[in-house]
Amino acid sequence: MNRQARALLSVLLLAVVAFAGWRWWTDLREPAADEAEIVIGQVSSRGGTLISSLRSEPRSFNRLVLQSFATDLYSTLTQGKLVRTNRATQEIEPSLAEKWTVSPDNTTYTLTLRDGVTWSDGAPFTSADVLFTFQAVYDEKAGSILRSSMMVNGAPLQVSAPDARTVVVQYPAPFGPGIGLLDNLTLAPKHKLQAALAAGTFGQAWNAGTPPSELVSIGPFMLTRYESGQRMVFSRNPRYWKKDVAGQPLPYLDQLILEIVPDQNAELVRLQSGQIDMLQQQVRPEDVATLRPVVDQKKLELLELGVATDADLFFFNLRPAKWAKDPRGSFIMRKEFRQAISHAVDREAFANTVFLGAGVPIWGPVTPGNRKWFSPNVPRYPFSLDRARALLAGLGLVNRDADEWLEAANGAEARFSVLTYRGNTSLERSAAVLRDDLKQVGIAVDVSVIEQNALIERMVKGDFDSIFFVVNPTSLDPAMSLDYWLSSGSAHIWNIAQKTPATEWEGRIDALMLKLAGTVDADQQKAIFNEVQGLFAENLPALYFVAPRLYMGVSTRVGGLTPSILRPQLLWNAETITVRGPAPGQAAPQ
């Protein structure tokens, strides 16, 4: 689709939204800063079943070795941490550690664990589980993806346990987020996983084929049934330690069901017809008109959460080995090529085409939704086909034959493939927009849409040219996302887990991020991170185009929600959610 046709389509779609859904747009509101809870409908205080959709299923139930949304959500519902970040307030609060003290030099934290907490199988939770978790994270043979994010100044934390309820965590140096670092750490049951760690098979333990009966929980729910490709059924954990202010055991729900629905259109039909209570993805702007009658009937509520903090991103495979024998490496590995692409994309038109105008142009991974860390002064690449062509010509990319594509001096055509995953229409449209925009400057893009798990496997292996994807931060503090920023990090997606920085600029970012992590002064932190954002914007290891505004749809039978801008926006605090009436779709498993 060319630019003129896309513009016409955008106008038509916007007209439909404006005609059929204008009240929805004006009714939406951003939650007040001090609003702790949103109660949607008349809700009961306890019992019932909540049904939600889930776009993909977990490849593993072991959060220490795999980061994907499905695994993260499983972990959120069933596992626990010493402390956690309240996703609504961004404040650190006690969890399995009920209290702690810190040394005067801000390097040693002494935590007191809650008394009488057990795993779902009745085994006591003690400091031995904490020590075991740290051991698994730092054991290189275990292959934990949390290893880099649990380092300070490149060194591991020193952890000891004077007794069953006391854990002492010593940082190698002061750390900006302080004890908030422990929010990265999902705790593992020693009595269940110790044998796998000793045998060197920890990375395969609790894989997707593990029977639910072999899994244990310390969170509000337990996985009691998993039908691959169909659903995950969670039941209340009767041994969950947490209670509400009235002393009533949590969670309130008897059961939570995640229906696996890979296709966004199928998800929408289920929400519209009342077969599910909520989605795990935001409502697409083009679905406003479709859902408006359900809102008018008071069966559905639409919540505006603000600008997303996890915008979709496009990135090349920047592993040198990938391009060592590929002549395209002569330009794909150059920052000027990526800068040309950034100039060639009209971000305003991108927002209109992909998000129907419900988005804001961005030039880096930190969006305006992250108010504390966003910098409006990072280098930007205004839309300019002339500037894009000039940068490409500077790389020796010119049209050397009769076709419409540029070629390098070595004969390599300016062509690459981009992978994205099936069922996410914003990603699919984004890849198509990128293809159409780059065609105008002589770059050929071949789009492949594959299953999400297959995409993740290829990303980890390095078997790709480029990817259009989304990376979900678990914290808005960049010092808590070192696995993304550090060249050695497991989420450094363009070149994962480098032994030493592959480029000079990545080495500089490494040094700055370690400096940031060791700084406690807020003004100094902001200055350091602004420099990091500048280096990122100059070298463009990943390109960001638009951050969408987030709208979530939820049934009016659901209450007790505490929405967050971070995923999972509605289920991060599932223990407090309540429902009234029978579960939607009576045929759903009970």
Side-chain angles (χ1 to χ4, degrees), residues 4-35:
Q4 190 174 24
R6 288 209 320 270
L8 177 60
L9 176 62
S10 298
V11 170
L12 290 173
L13 287 171
L14 282 168
V16 171
V17 172
F19 178 74
W22 69 270
R23 274 187 54 206
W24 179 78
W25 288 100
T26 56
D27 288 348
L28 287 172
R29 60 184 175 83
E30 293 213 30
D34 59 350
E35 186 173 33

Side-chain angles (χ1 to χ4, degrees), residues 248-324:
Q248 186 173 201
L250 295 175
Y252 295 127
L253 295 171
D254 290 331
Q255 196 174 69
L256 193 157
I257 299 174
L258 299 178
E259 295 282 351
I260 299 167
V261 188
D263 183 72
Q264 253 177 320
N265 293 320
E267 268 189 320
L268 179 70
V269 169
R270 295 198 189 193
L271 182 66
Q272 181 187 16
S273 62
Q275 296 177 60
I276 58 176
D277 292 307
M278 63 176 67
L279 309 179
Q280 287 308 308
Q281 300 278 1
Q282 64 265 31
V283 173
R284 299 172 298 186
E286 67 267 30
D287 294 333
V288 173
T290 302
L291 293 177
R292 183 69 241 178
V294 190
V295 175
D296 289 341
Q297 294 166 18
K298 307 298 182 184
K299 295 180 180 179
L300 190 74
E301 188 82 6
L302 290 160
L303 306 174
E304 180 180 359
L305 305 185
V307 177
T309 58
D310 53 353
D312 299 342
L313 73 157
F314 165 75
F315 62 97
F316 283 99
N317 184 343
L318 297 184
R319 304 182 192 196
K322 161 70 178 177
W323 305 104

Side-chain angles (χ1 to χ4, degrees), residues 380-411:
R380 299 185 177 192
Y381 298 85
F383 173 57
S384 171
L385 297 180
D386 289 341
R387 181 59 182 149
R389 292 183 181 114
L391 284 166
L392 294 171
L395 293 173
L397 288 168
V398 297
N399 196 334
R400 302 172 188 272
D401 52 29
D403 66 16
E404 57 188 316
W405 312 118
L406 305 180
E407 291 86 23
N410 59 19

Side-chain angles (χ1 to χ4, degrees), residues 130-318:
V130 180
L131 294 183
F132 170 75
T133 303
F134 274 98
Q135 180 186 358
V137 166
Y138 293 137
D139 186 336
E140 292 191 8
K141 297 190 299 296
S144 174
I145 62 167
L146 299 183
R147 191 171 187 271
S148 61
S149 64
M150 293 303 298
M151 298 277 193
V152 171
N153 276 2
L157 312 185
Q158 299 298 316
V159 188
S160 59
D163 57 57
R165 288 190 58 207
T166 306
V167 175
V168 179
V169 181
Q170 185 172 0
Y171 291 25
F175 181 66
I179 200 168
L181 177 64
L182 301 185
D183 180 58
N184 280 337
L185 190 69
T186 298
L187 296 172
K190 180 179 180 180
H191 68 290
K192 280 290 188 178
L193 296 174
Q194 183 179 27
L197 184 64
T201 60
F202 188 82
Q204 293 75 51
W206 280 13
N207 60 43
T210 303
S213 59
E214 293 298 313
L215 306 172
V216 295
S217 167
I218 203 168
F221 296 94
M222 307 178 298
L223 182 67
T224 50
R225 186 158 80 246
Y226 175 35
E227 301 169 25
S228 181
Q230 299 295 318
R231 63 185 56 84
M232 302 170 70
V233 180
F234 297 84
S235 300
R236 178 194 291 123
N237 177 4
R239 290 189 168 95
Y240 186 49
W241 57 270
K242 201 168 185 179
K243 298 181 179 180
D244 66 13
V245 292
Q248 186 173 201
L250 295 175
Y252 295 127
L253 295 171
D254 290 331
Q255 196 174 69
L256 193 157
I257 299 174
L258 299 178
E259 295 282 351
I260 299 167
V261 188
D263 183 72
Q264 253 177 320
N265 293 320
E267 268 189 320
L268 179 70
V269 169
R270 295 198 189 193
L271 182 66
Q272 181 187 16
S273 62
Q275 296 177 60
I276 58 176
D277 292 307
M278 63 176 67
L279 309 179
Q280 287 308 308
Q281 300 278 1
Q282 64 265 31
V283 173
R284 299 172 298 186
E286 67 267 30
D287 294 333
V288 173
T290 302
L291 293 177
R292 183 69 241 178
V294 190
V295 175
D296 289 341
Q297 294 166 18
K298 307 298 182 184
K299 295 180 180 179
L300 190 74
E301 188 82 6
L302 290 160
L303 306 174
E304 180 180 359
L305 305 185
V307 177
T309 58
D310 53 353
D312 299 342
L313 73 157
F314 165 75
F315 62 97
F316 283 99
N317 184 343
L318 297 184

